[in-house]
Amino acid sequence: RASGMKRGRYGNIEDLVVGVRVATAAGILWHGVDDKDDEPTKGGEPRRESSSHGRRSMGPELRELVLGSEGNLGIITSVVLRVRPMPSHQLYAALLCRDFKAGVCLAREVSRLPSALRPASLRVGDAAHHKLGKVLKPSSGDEGPLGAGLAMAARAYLGTVKGWRSEQVCGATALLEGDPASEVAAQRRALAAAASTASRLTGGGVALLPGWLPAARAGARAGYEITFAVAYLRDLFLERGILGESLETFVGWARVEELVQSVGAAVTARHESLGLRGRPLVSSRITQLYDQGACVYFYVAADCRGHASPVEAFASLEHAARLAALDKGGNLSHHHGVGKLRARLLKDKGASPAWRGGFKAIKKALDPDGVFCAQNGLLAEDSDDEAADEGS
C-alpha cells in the first residue's frame, strides 16, 4: 500500500485508486462496474459513463482487499486512478528545530492545518539525519560571500543568543505547490503560522528560515531531495563493508519521540552484544503527517566486517529495531509492506487468528490450487531463516 513523498496533497495509493480489475485462478474480479464497460466502442463512444466509478455503497470494496495483498490473490490487469493537473507553482521552505522534540511539535502543528493549506510534503529529520543531510548536500554555488556570511550569522544567533546546541539541531523541509501562485503563498503563510505556534509551545524551539536567504533556498531543496540520495547509500556503504537498510512505521503523536529513542537504544544495544565494530548509524525522520500520528522512517547501518555471519548480524539489528518500534506502539509497516522477512512479526503482533484464517479462506476460494504462490504476508510460510532475526 504505497505512499509517496507528496501524500500531503495527493494522498496514498488507496486514495488514488478508484477501481481495479483482477485476474485470479477462479476468474476475473470486478466490483461496482466492470471497467471493460468503459472501453470505447468502435464508434469511439464509451460504453458507460465514467461516473460509474464514483462513490458507492455496494458491500466491501474490492480495491481494499487487493491493495496490500502482495501478489497472493491474482494479477491486477487494469486500474482506474484519480489524476490531478501538474502544479505550475512550487516553493521549498527550510526550517530549523532546536531538537527533535521541537521538530515533532512542528510536524504536529502542520498536521492540524486545513488540508488545502498543508504542504505537499513536510519532512522532519532528527539530529543524525540532519548531519547526514549536510554531508550529502551538493554545493549550490550561488550563496556567494554575502550569503555565506548571513548563514554564519544565523548559526551564531541560534547558538549564542538562543542557546541551541549544534549536536541536537534538527532540520525540516517543506514543499508547497499548487495553482494559482496565490494558493502557494497561502500555504507559505499557513506554514509560518504553524511554525510560530510550535516555536511558542517549545520556548522558541522552531525557526522558519527566510526565503530570501540563499542558504535557506538551497538547503530546502537539498533537504527534500536527500531522499533520492539516501536510496543509493546502501550501495555506497556495501562497497565499504557496511550494511544498511531502511525501515518505517506509523505511530501516534504522543509516542513519536519515545519510539525513536527506543529504536536507537535497541539497535545500539544489539550492536554491542554482537561485538560489531564502531557504532551503528540510526537516523530517523518524520515523513508523512496524519491527524492521528506520523510515519517515522529510519535508516540503520553498521560495519559488519569481521563478523562470522555479517548478513545474519545485520538482520538481527533490523529485527531489534522493529521489535522496539512495535513495543512502543508503532505498526509493522506504514507503506513498505510485509513480504516474507517480516511475516512472522505480522502473525505474532499484526493480525488476529480470525483475520488470518479469513484471509486464507479467501485465498482458497480464489486460488484453490495455489497458482499464485507468492506466499507473502499472512500466507508466508515459516522459514528457518527467520531464526536469524532473533539474534543475541
Side-chain angles (χ1 to χ4, degrees), residues 195-346:
S196 177
T197 299
S199 183
R200 185 169 63 253
L201 292 174
T202 58
V206 176
L208 174 62
L209 302 184
W212 50 262
L213 186 65
R217 293 197 304 267
R221 181 156 193 163
Y224 177 79
E225 294 180 347
I226 187 180
T227 297
F228 308 132
V230 167
Y232 295 95
L233 279 181
R234 183 190 300 110
D235 298 333
L236 178 66
F237 286 167
L238 189 58
E239 293 174 356
R240 291 157 177 78
I242 298 173
L243 299 181
E245 187 55 277
S246 60
L247 58 141
E248 40 70 45
T249 186
F250 175 89
V251 66
W253 286 113
R255 306 196 73 178
V256 171
E257 296 170 68
E258 182 184 11
L259 182 143
V260 168
Q261 294 171 0
S262 180
V263 169
V267 171
T268 299
R270 183 63 59 85
H271 187 277
E272 292 178 355
S273 70
L274 291 169
L276 299 177
R277 298 181 179 186
R279 294 179 298 174
L281 166 67
V282 185
S283 71
S284 62
R285 62 188 186 275
I286 296 172
T287 61
Q288 309 286 17
L289 313 182
Y290 298 85
D291 294 337
Q292 312 96 310
C295 171
V296 183
Y297 208 97
F298 295 91
Y299 201 79
V300 178
D303 185 348
C304 297
R305 291 174 297 175
H307 193 278
S309 303
V311 175
E312 287 77 4
F314 186 79
S316 179
L317 291 177
E318 185 179 358
H319 189 68
R322 293 189 185 282
L323 286 179
L326 290 169
D327 184 59
K328 296 302 180 181
N331 64 18
L332 185 56
S333 175
H334 169 265
H335 60 273
H336 280 180
V338 178
K340 296 177 176 61
L341 295 180
R342 296 180 284 276
R344 183 164 48 92
L345 287 174
L346 176 63

Side-chain angles (χ1 to χ4, degrees), residues 8-74:
R9 182 171 178 85
Y10 305 106
N12 293 317
I13 189 64
E14 62 269 23
D15 303 309
L16 302 178
V17 172
V18 177
V20 293
R21 182 181 173 92
V22 185
T24 75
I28 302 297
L29 302 183
W30 58 271
H31 179 224
V33 57
D34 183 359
D35 64 7
K36 291 299 181 184
D37 289 339
D38 287 335
E39 294 182 351
T41 62
K42 291 183 178 180
E45 295 297 323
R47 300 179 190 274
R48 188 179 298 183
E49 293 295 328
S50 60
S51 60
S52 299
H53 288 289
R55 189 186 185 280
R56 55 181 172 255
S57 177
M58 300 166 60
E61 285 291 336
L62 172 62
R63 66 174 181 269
E64 290 298 323
L65 176 64
V66 173
L67 293 175
S69 61
E70 299 189 355
N72 284 311
L73 302 179

Side-chain angles (χ1 to χ4, degrees), residues 76-93:
I76 296 176
T77 59
S78 66
V79 61
V80 178
L81 292 171
R82 291 186 175 90
V83 295
R84 299 276 294 273
M86 287 284 290
S88 57
H89 300 278
Q90 283 189 332
L91 178 67
Y92 293 91

